[in-house]
Amino acid sequence: MRYKQTVSIIGFGRFGQTLYRLIKDDFEEIIVYRRRGVDRDEFGLGKNTKVAKDIKELFKSRFDNFHTLFYCTPISTFEEVVQSHKKFWSKKHVVIDVLSVKSWPQKVLVKHLKNTDIQAILTHPMFGPDSSKKGFEGLVWVMDRFRADEKVYKFWKDYIKSKGLKVIELSADEHDYLAAFSQGVAHFIGRLLAEFGLAPTPIDTMGAKKLREVMEQTVNDSWQLFLDLQRFNPYTKSMRIKLGKAYEKLFHQILPKQVKSGKVVFGIQGGKGSFNEEALMDYVKRHKIGNWEIKYLYTTDRVLKALWEGEIDYGLFAIQNANGGVVEESIEAMAKYKFRIKEKFGIQIRHFLMKKPGVKVKELRSVMAHPQVFKQCRKNLAAKYPGLEQVVGKGELIDTAKAAQALSEGKIDDKTAILGPRVLSSLWGLEIIEGDLQDSKDNVTDFLLVERLF
Ligand code: NAP
């Protein structure tokens, strides 16, 4: 039996076509429309189906019965579509939207249907072309009576049920909350897996196959639909934040509680003999830590990366000096990683200028040190050693201790001096030229001792 009434499908994309597949044999007149036109043969349109050439044709019906307008257009264009169509709507029309979010179309329709008696039903079919490929039996369609009279609403509710679908009645807000934490998560994970590049392997488990199914179904939908789902549902943002926190928690729960059993592993920004090492000695002594080990990581970025990846238990790096200001490399690295500050403390810093034995002071051409060291000794260097070019080493050589090692091992030019802690001279056989080159007597550097979040 065919209902003697007209149904218009506005937007003949992935869902418009799915809806047509569901209703095509049940109504005397169906009108389909999309702006670029619809090819009758391509979609196998039946004799009862007209293709509207312009939007005016969408609203004409040859029956006295009510005329349903199914809006299957993108979420983000819904308001502009309503704005351009509403002048054609009359008392006879029933507007039904199928948008995957519900508070947004509710808001748009409340605004544009004010002071009219046009009926409207809010719906969301919880399926698409992929999930309905094998039929519609058992699939869910969410409905909210909204502005429809009981008779019209009952007609559509009963019709949907008669096709084997399950109707769940929810308010727009209830729908959006539940959808954010089910469909919203599924789409987000599907896109995440596509971004990750999940590919089949010869040993795929059932779980792996299901994940690929989720990914493939999701990426079959347009990017616009994905964006709209994430942006127009008021609850998806909190879903994404919760998902991100859960990922981080799980990631860290898998890491060992302690990297080496019975030993605390510290990773420091400096090398052997660096101020970082001095700061760590201070920390270990104050906290009476017995069994510990040090990893020289030379840069703050490497310290925080090692901490994040579970290769060290704690990290230590300098953040600022009373005279030199903030440690730029630490600020930049801190912006990239998450961690917890366990302690902030300062130590007094003294800088010594040293050279390789056998090289005369007047033969020296440059001085190598961390940029912070130059900031702390700016005035003294300018007054006493104006002829020495100030050089910052690349990569690990940014660390003064590493630069001192490189000088002693002949890896950098012999005519280079080093400016750093006194201990470097005894460690690497360098001769001290002059001590206490820091501009201020009160030259304190602050360090952060950091740990993982979980
Ligand atoms: P789609 O494949 O991109 O189709 C959108 C259709 O709307 C196209 O036919 C497009 O054709 C037309 N359109 C776009 N802007 C228009 C405008 N301003 N005026 C008139 N027609 C316009 O998207 P979809 O996946 O079918 O999604 C459509 C709606 O269905 C969305 O609101 C979505 O939330 C909902 N939905 C989708 C699914 C699904 O599985 N895909 C499931 C349930 C609900 P022209 O550009 O040629 O006009």
Side-chain angles (χ1 to χ4, degrees):
M1 185 202 80
R2 276 185 171 170
Y3 296 103
K4 287 201 182 316
Q5 51 175 285
T6 305
V7 175
S8 295
I9 300 180
I10 301 127
F12 203 60
R14 280 171 56 78
F15 192 77
Q17 291 159 34
T18 306
L19 177 63
Y20 183 72
R21 198 155 44 81
L22 178 76
I23 67 168
K24 66 182 168 43
D25 298 321
D26 303 330
F27 294 88
E28 285 287 345
E29 185 174 54
I30 298 176
I31 308 173
V32 297
Y33 174 75
R34 68 175 172 186
R35 290 168 305 177
R36 85 191 90 131
V38 179
D39 184 282
R40 297 196 69 85
D41 299 333
E42 185 187 345
F43 296 103
L45 303 185
K47 285 204 175 83
N48 61 341
T49 308
K50 259 178 32 186
V51 177
K53 291 194 185 54
D54 58 47
I55 60 168
K56 279 187 215 143
E57 289 184 20
L58 280 168
F59 309 103
K60 292 179 193 151
S61 164
R62 56 191 167 91
F63 302 105
D64 294 332
N65 210 335
F66 64 85
H67 174 175
T68 304
L69 311 169
F70 270 103
Y71 279 89
C72 308
T73 46
I75 295 165
S76 44
T77 63
F78 187 64
E79 185 159 24
E80 88 190 38
V81 172
V82 167
Q83 249 163 341
S84 59
H85 286 205
K86 67 177 183 181
K87 57 179 170 288
F88 301 108
W89 293 348
S90 69
K91 205 174 167 196
K92 189 176 168 179
H93 293 124
V94 177
V95 174
I96 301 187
D97 86 284
V98 299
L99 271 53
S100 310
V101 296
K102 293 278 51 82
S103 310
W104 169 242
Q106 180 182 44
K107 198 169 154 202
V108 169
L109 291 170
V110 164
K111 179 174 155 195
H112 292 279
L113 297 184
K114 205 159 50 184
N115 305 325
T116 74
D117 50 7
I118 290 156
Q119 300 193 52
I121 302 174
L122 301 169
T123 80
H124 180 200
M126 305 304 298
F127 55 88
D130 297 311
S131 44
S132 65
K133 216 182 285 171
K134 293 184 183 145
F136 295 92
E137 192 70 35
L139 296 173
V140 169
W141 197 314
V142 171
M143 295 185 79
D144 176 350
R145 185 159 80 96
F146 187 38
R147 288 175 57 112
D149 65 34
E150 195 52 52
K151 191 176 130 244
V152 167
Y153 180 66
K154 189 173 178 318
F155 170 83
W156 278 110
K157 196 168 132 184
D158 290 347
Y159 171 77
I160 291 168
K161 283 188 189 163
S162 74
K163 301 298 278 186
L165 288 131
K166 192 172 159 195
V167 169
I168 295 188
E169 294 176 278
L170 294 173
S171 72
D173 187 64
E174 283 169 337
H175 163 276
D176 283 357
Y177 182 76
L178 295 179
F181 289 87
S182 64
Q183 186 193 34
V185 182
H187 278 246
F188 196 79
I189 300 266
R191 290 281 170 182
L192 206 61
L193 293 173
E195 186 68 34
F196 167 82
L198 185 72
T201 76
I203 54 164
D204 276 356
T205 56
M206 190 64 93
K209 284 179 191 155
K210 288 234 177 287
L211 276 188
R212 263 211 338 281
E213 234 174 78
V214 170
M215 177 185 82
E216 280 155 13
Q217 277 200 17
T218 311
V219 296
N220 276 344
D221 281 328
S222 69
W223 175 251
Q224 187 61 55
L225 176 56
F226 173 65
L227 278 188
D228 289 353
L229 269 176
Q230 301 295 326
R231 288 178 178 167
F232 283 81
N233 182 325
Y235 296 104
T236 43
K237 190 171 171 185
S238 55
M239 171 279 288
R240 292 194 303 274
I241 292 169
K242 194 172 172 197
L243 203 60
K245 282 188 183 155
Y247 166 83
E248 275 176 14
K249 190 169 173 196
L250 203 60
F251 179 91
H252 285 102
Q253 274 174 350
I254 295 163
L255 297 177
K257 283 262 172 294
Q258 201 166 347
V259 175
K260 286 191 178 170
S261 93
K263 222 180 217 182
V264 184
V265 180
F266 293 95
I268 67 167
Q269 176 195 12
K272 198 163 178 51
S274 62
F275 289 119
N276 267 263
E277 189 168 42
E278 214 175 302
L280 182 62
M281 299 298 181
D282 175 79
Y283 179 86
V284 163
K285 211 167 141 196
R286 278 189 292 109
H287 290 272
K288 299 186 177 58
I289 298 169
N291 212 359
W292 58 278
E293 186 181 296
I294 190 165
K295 272 197 179 181
Y296 303 108
L297 297 172
Y298 308 109
T299 66
T300 305
D301 191 278
R302 286 183 59 186
V303 169
L304 290 176
K305 184 167 184 282
L307 186 72
W308 176 260
E309 293 178 1
E311 282 160 18
I312 56 175
D313 297 313
Y314 299 99
L316 179 106
F317 53 88
I319 49 158
Q320 68 145 347
N321 174 271
N323 303 295
V326 294
V327 182
E328 303 283 344
E329 66 146 322
S330 295
I331 299 285
E332 277 165 29
M334 283 193 285
K336 282 169 64 181
Y337 301 92
K338 283 188 182 168
F339 54 88
R340 183 182 293 114
I341 298 170
K342 198 163 158 62
E343 193 175 307
K344 174 173 170 271
F345 62 100
I347 62 164
Q348 191 72 31
I349 301 288
R350 295 174 67 198
H351 293 298
F352 291 75
L353 188 69
M354 54 198 92
K355 62 171 186 60
K356 215 169 171 181
V359 178
K360 297 197 176 87
V361 174
K362 62 176 185 222
E363 289 172 341
L364 293 170
R365 287 199 205 108
S366 60
V367 51
M368 199 179 237
H370 192 278
Q372 261 295 322
V373 180
F374 291 130
K375 285 189 189 170
Q376 293 162 31
C377 307
R378 194 181 305 131
K379 286 188 203 145
N380 276 334
L381 282 178
K384 298 182 174 184
Y385 300 95
L388 290 186
E389 187 195 352
Q390 293 170 19
V391 178
V392 174
K394 297 245 177 324
E396 290 186 345
L397 288 182
I398 190 175
D399 174 51
T400 313
K402 194 75 188 167
Q405 182 184 354
L407 179 67
S408 122
E409 290 171 352
K411 291 181 181 155
I412 54 174
D413 186 6
D414 272 9
K415 309 284 183 318
T416 309
I418 296 293
L419 182 58
R422 185 207 292 264
V423 68
L424 293 179
S425 76
S426 52
L427 262 177
W428 302 112
L430 303 177
E431 285 176 2
I432 291 183
I433 304 167
E434 187 173 351
D436 284 324
L437 279 173
Q438 64 279 4
D439 294 335
S440 160
K441 279 204 181 76
D442 188 23
N443 191 33
V444 173
T445 292
D446 289 326
F447 291 83
L448 289 187
L449 196 290
V450 299
E451 61 185 349
R452 280 194 293 278
L453 287 177
F454 301 98

